[in-house]
Amino acid sequence: MDTKLGFVAERAKRDKEATFDNLMHLINEDSLKAGYWRLAKESAVGMDGVNWKEYGETLEANIKGLVARIRTMSYRPQAVRRVYIPKDNGEQRPIGIPAIEDKIVQKVMSWIMEAIYEQDFHEDSYGFRRGKGCHKALKRINDLITFKFINYVIEADIKGFFDNVKHDKLMEMIDIRIKDEQFKRYIVRFLKSGYMEKDAFKKTESGTPQGGNLSPMLANVYLHYVVDEWFEKKMKPRMKGQGYVVRYCDDFVILVQYKVDAQLILGTLKAELWASGLKVNETKTRLINFGRFARENSQKYNRKMQTFDFLGITHYNSVSKSGKFTVGRKTSKKRLQRSLRAVGQWLKIMRNAMPLKELWEQLAVRMKGHYAYYGISDNIYGLDSYYENVRRLAQKWINRRSQKASMNWEKFKSYIERFPLPKPNIIHQFYIPPSKLCKATC
C-alpha cells in the first residue's frame, strides 16, 4: 500500500496538472485490513452497534465481503450516530460516529487523497497533516511576527464550517485532481449518508461527515481552495506589503504589514466565503494592531493593547528582559476555565469510584496531558495557574469522599509532599538560542 501510494504522491508532486482516474484498485483487502488496524480500538460504536473487537473476530470474512460490495457499488455508508458535546459558550457541538466499516473505508480513502493533496497543500496549512500540528502552527505565528514586518492580525473564524460545506462546490474542487468516477461517487455517498438523531433520520444536504476519518481531508481540500489559494493567487498580487495565512483546518489568522492591505483582505474574505457557502463569524472575526509597533501605537492613541486567540492560546505584545519586542503567550481564559471545570467534574464523580492511590495516578496523567499541549514558551504562568487550581480542586473533592476518609488542608499538604503532583514544565520551545541560530543561518 505504501509503495503504491508513493507512486501516486510522486506523480502528483511531479505534475501539478496531473489527474487520477484509476484509484479504486487501491481500496482492496490489504489496504482495508491496514485501515482496520489503524482505527482506535476503544472508539464509540455507530448505528451498527459493532465495536472494533467484534468486527475483528471474523476480520477475513468481513473484509472479503466489504471488498465485494465496494466492487459492485452495492456498498452504502450507514447514517452516522449523532451525539453532542458542550462548547465553551454553552452551546452544543454535534459529533458524528460512523459504523465500523465506514470508518475503515474512510480511513483508506483519506490515505489515497492524502497522497495526492499533500503535494498541493500550502506549507502554512497545519491541521490534520502528518508532520504538522498545533505547536508548529503556533511557532510559525511567533516567527512571522518576530522576524517579518507584521503590524496587523486578522483573527478569522468561519461560522459552522463543518455543517455548511457545499457538496457541489466540494466535488468541483475534487474534480480538479480526481477523475475516478467510482471513487467520487463514494465520496458523495459519504456526504449524503445522513445522521440519526433521537431515532429520526436526517438528510445531509451540506456539510462533511463529522467524526469520520474522511472529514478532515475533505475540509482541508475545501479550505485549500477557498482560503489558501484565494490568498496566494488573488490577494498577494494586490497587496502593498507582506502577508501570510496560518491555518489549522477552519481556524486561521492572517498576518499583514499594512492596515490598508488588512482592510482589503477582510472585506474580500467575507465575499469569498459567501461565494463558497460559508459565512464569517462576525463576533469572532476582527482586525487588530499587533507587532513591534503596537505598544507605541497604543500609547500614542491612548488605547489598550490588543490580543488575539489561536488554538487555545492568547497572544499578546510583550518585551524581553533586554527590552526588545517579543510575542507573549498564555492559555486562553476560556480554555483554562474549561480544563479546570473538566478536572473538577471528574474528581467529583471519581472520588469514591477508586482507591485514592489510583485516583492520584490518573489525576497526574490528566495534568501531564494539559502540560503536553499548553507547555509552550512564555506560558509558565498559565501552567502554574492550572497547577494551583487543580491542587485546590483535589483537596476539595478528596476531603468530601466521606466523613471517615476526609482530608483537611493540613493532611492534604502532608499527602502532597509524600506524593507530589507533576509540576508544570515548558515542553515546546519556540526560541532558538543564538549559538544554534548562527549554525542554522551562517
Side-chain angles (χ1 to χ4, degrees):
M1 182 64 177
D2 288 342
T3 302
K4 293 176 181 178
L5 290 180
F7 289 138
V8 172
E10 179 59 33
R11 185 183 170 211
K13 182 178 181 179
R14 185 176 61 251
D15 184 359
K16 296 296 184 180
E17 304 296 324
T19 59
F20 298 84
D21 57 7
N22 186 23
L23 298 174
M24 285 303 297
H25 73 282
L26 296 172
I27 306 178
N28 51 45
E29 288 187 27
D30 290 337
S31 63
L32 290 170
K33 286 179 188 176
Y36 167 81
W37 289 109
R38 289 288 295 275
L39 295 180
K41 297 176 177 58
E42 303 299 328
S43 61
V45 299
M47 293 304 301
D48 58 348
V50 179
N51 63 33
W52 183 88
K53 183 179 179 181
E54 290 168 342
Y55 192 84
E57 289 172 354
T58 53
L59 184 62
E60 291 289 337
N62 286 336
I63 293 297
K64 285 182 182 296
L66 178 57
V67 169
R69 282 180 283 133
I70 289 173
R71 292 285 181 264
T72 59
M73 294 301 293
S74 59
Y75 163 71
R76 292 190 176 275
Q78 297 185 43
V80 301
R81 181 168 67 89
R82 174 163 283 194
V83 297
Y84 290 87
I85 59 174
K87 295 172 65 174
D88 292 336
N89 59 6
E91 297 178 358
Q92 298 285 309
R93 183 191 302 277
I95 296 294
I97 304 174
I100 183 71
E101 283 193 339
D102 298 339
K103 292 178 183 178
I104 296 170
V105 177
Q106 286 191 42
K107 175 70 77 174
V108 176
M109 291 180 71
S110 70
W111 286 341
I112 296 169
M113 295 185 70
E114 180 185 41
I116 298 169
Y117 287 102
E118 269 299 311
Q119 321 313 318
D120 296 346
F121 289 158
H122 291 226
E123 282 298 310
D124 283 334
S125 166
Y126 290 87
F128 307 108
R129 295 178 62 193
R130 298 186 195 188
K132 296 285 187 176
C134 299
H135 298 105
K136 289 191 176 181
L138 292 167
K139 186 179 187 307
R140 175 62 169 163
I141 289 174
N142 173 81
D143 293 348
L144 287 172
I145 296 174
T146 303
F147 300 116
K148 301 294 184 180
F149 297 104
I150 300 301
N151 298 308
Y152 294 92
V153 174
I154 297 173
E155 185 181 7
D157 186 82
I158 300 174
K159 189 173 183 179
F161 168 72
F162 284 97
D163 290 329
N164 291 294
V165 170
K166 295 176 70 173
H167 292 171
D168 56 346
K169 189 78 173 178
L170 173 61
M171 295 313 298
E172 287 176 12
M173 297 171 182
I174 290 174
D175 191 62
I176 295 172
R177 277 293 215 172
I178 297 177
K179 301 295 185 181
D180 188 319
E181 295 301 324
Q182 194 175 357
F183 191 90
K184 289 191 292 183
R185 281 178 66 186
Y186 277 123
I187 293 178
V188 172
R189 286 185 180 182
F190 277 115
L191 292 172
K192 303 291 186 183
S193 61
Y195 61 92
M196 294 293 293
E197 185 174 24
K198 296 179 180 178
D199 297 324
F201 175 76
K202 307 285 186 179
K203 292 183 178 180
T204 45
E205 300 299 333
S206 63
T208 62
Q210 279 201 59
N213 295 302
L214 195 56
S215 185
M217 175 57 64
L218 297 178
N220 267 338
V221 170
Y222 205 79
L223 290 168
H224 166 73
Y225 290 104
V226 174
V227 176
D228 303 342
E229 288 284 271
W230 157 77
F231 187 80
E232 191 69 27
K233 295 181 178 179
K234 294 183 181 179
M235 286 292 97
K236 275 193 174 182
R238 299 170 62 184
M239 292 170 58
K240 298 180 182 296
Q242 296 181 5
Y244 307 88
V245 172
V246 178
R247 181 174 65 80
Y248 188 93
C249 201
D250 60 324
D251 292 329
F252 62 97
V253 292
I254 304 175
L255 316 170
V256 296
Q257 182 176 2
Y258 297 125
K259 188 174 183 178
V260 64
D261 288 337
Q263 291 171 330
L264 171 66
I265 291 166
L266 192 55
T268 310
L269 173 64
K270 294 177 182 179
E272 184 71 16
L273 292 178
W274 180 267
S276 302
L278 305 173
K279 292 181 181 179
V280 166
N281 188 330
E282 298 286 354
T283 61
K284 295 183 179 180
T285 300
R286 61 199 181 106
L287 170 62
I288 67 170
N289 182 207
F290 197 98
R292 64 187 73 252
F293 301 113
R295 185 177 297 274
E296 180 183 325
N297 290 337
S298 66
Q299 293 172 349
K300 180 179 178 181
Y301 296 105
N302 193 28
R303 67 188 182 196
K304 186 179 178 181
M305 283 194 295
Q306 297 172 296
T307 67
F308 70 92
D309 288 356
F310 185 62
L311 299 179
I313 300 296
T314 297
H315 298 71
Y316 59 93
N317 295 284
S318 185
V319 292
S320 65
K321 293 180 180 179
S322 61
K324 293 183 179 180
F325 165 78
T326 185
V327 180
R329 283 168 292 273
K330 60 183 179 181
T331 309
S332 73
K333 187 176 180 180
K334 286 183 178 180
R335 288 291 187 94
L336 181 58
Q337 290 175 341
R338 186 176 73 179
S339 296
L340 292 173
R341 188 164 55 246
V343 171
Q345 291 172 348
W346 180 80
L347 284 166
K348 180 180 179 180
I349 294 169
M350 303 303 295
R351 70 186 190 274
N352 289 316
M354 60 182 70
L356 180 57
K357 184 176 182 294
E358 185 179 346
L359 179 78
W360 208 246
E361 291 172 349
Q362 291 198 22
L363 178 59
V365 170
R366 293 177 73 95
M367 294 177 73
K368 288 178 181 178
H370 184 90
Y371 302 154
Y373 184 85
Y374 294 101
I376 62 177
S377 296
D378 294 324
N379 193 30
I380 191 64
Y381 295 109
L383 298 183
D384 284 341
S385 177
Y386 174 82
Y387 174 79
E388 292 299 333
N389 278 284
V390 168
R391 285 212 313 170
R392 292 190 183 95
L393 287 168
Q395 192 277 327
K396 170 186 174 181
W397 290 112
I398 291 173
N399 189 44
R400 297 185 184 184
R401 294 180 79 198
S402 68
Q403 288 186 341
K404 279 187 175 182
S406 64
M407 184 182 288
N408 60 28
W409 185 250
E410 290 303 317
K411 289 182 180 179
F412 181 77
K413 283 201 303 183
S414 176
Y415 186 83
I416 206 170
E417 286 175 4
R418 292 171 56 205
F419 305 103
L421 290 170
K423 293 288 185 70
N425 64 313
I426 300 299
I427 297 173
H428 307 281
Q429 293 285 352
F430 289 172
Y431 304 123
I432 304 175
S435 59
K436 291 186 179 179
L437 181 62
C438 181
K439 289 180 181 178
T441 57
C442 294

